[in-house]
Amino acid sequence: MTVEPNDLTMRPITGREELDLFSRLPYVLDDELADDLTAGRRLPEWMWVALRGDQLVARAAWWCSTGDDAPFLLDVFDLDDRDGDGVDAGVKLLRAAMAEVVPAGARPPEYIRMVPPDWRETPAARRVVEDRMAALEQLGAALLVERLRLEWRPGTPVPEPSGRLAFRPVRDTEEMISLMASVLDGTLDTHSRDDLSRMSAREAAAAHYEEELACYRSPRDWWRVATLPDGEPVGFVTPARNDYNPIIGYIAVLPKHRGNGYIDDILAEGTRILAAQDDVPRIRAATDVGNVPMANAFRRAGYVNFERSINMTWP
């Protein structure tokens, strides 16, 4: 526990019994916190609060995949926006918490914040986003990318197969990683480009596979390689379920086949596979704001932009 001279007390929560305290500052992920604790995706020692007396003035929490023992994302960071010292309290809280949560010498986990699609046009929403970004910037983080969060809803038409492409399951992990490495040539995805600044395409693909695709809890035989009639691969899609939703986890077209509209066929195939499963209230997906071709493909397929996300990283 840390106590500042101005009576700001900063500490992790003691356990599930303090979820009500932690949730006094509302955010869209609050409904997931209890299940995350049960599943081990969050730990009480990763969920920190800053208190002034009994007033919650800031909070922060990290998340990981089930079974991991190190935090993967800083995905909850809130301030009491009525408090004139909210940003300062947030900086102090993060500094104290990161010293305990982030392993010494490690790069801090990425920060992600879900925001309304029109957050820049709404003064109150803009202040919320910019205050939290300002706090992170004081601790050395910088904006990496803004992303569109997308959703397909039951009743939205799914195009019938055009016949231009055939689809087959992915043969094995090696084929998946090789395809993932191939599509990094010319990628518009900011996270992938950031990875390529620090590692080879093969290393980036393998890391992405292990950190995300290998964690999906759905059958891998849902994944599809798209091919020309002669069997030549042109792209792939990984329809899946993560811990929260059915998702289009990864979708791409190989460089030599871009510009032919194949992305529409591949996305339709992934959507069909998920829509045919039981209990699919929605299908989620995401892409960078700047990845206009991919964003347009989701729009043509009937996906709606229900949120955006702000992603910040440390050098």
Side-chain angles (χ1 to χ4, degrees), residues 9-13 18 21-23 47-51 56-60 93:
T9 300
M10 295 170 291
R11 62 172 177 81
I13 64 172
E18 286 199 312
L21 166 65
F22 189 82
S23 300
M47 302 176 69
W48 279 63
V49 293
L51 301 165
L56 180 64
V57 296
R59 67 174 184 167
L93 174 66

Side-chain angles (χ1 to χ4, degrees), residues 84-111:
D85 296 324
V87 172
D88 183 59
V91 171
K92 291 175 178 176
L93 174 66
L94 283 177
R95 184 176 288 120
M98 289 170 65
E100 298 294 331
V101 173
V102 180
R107 187 187 191 194
E110 182 172 323
Y111 168 67

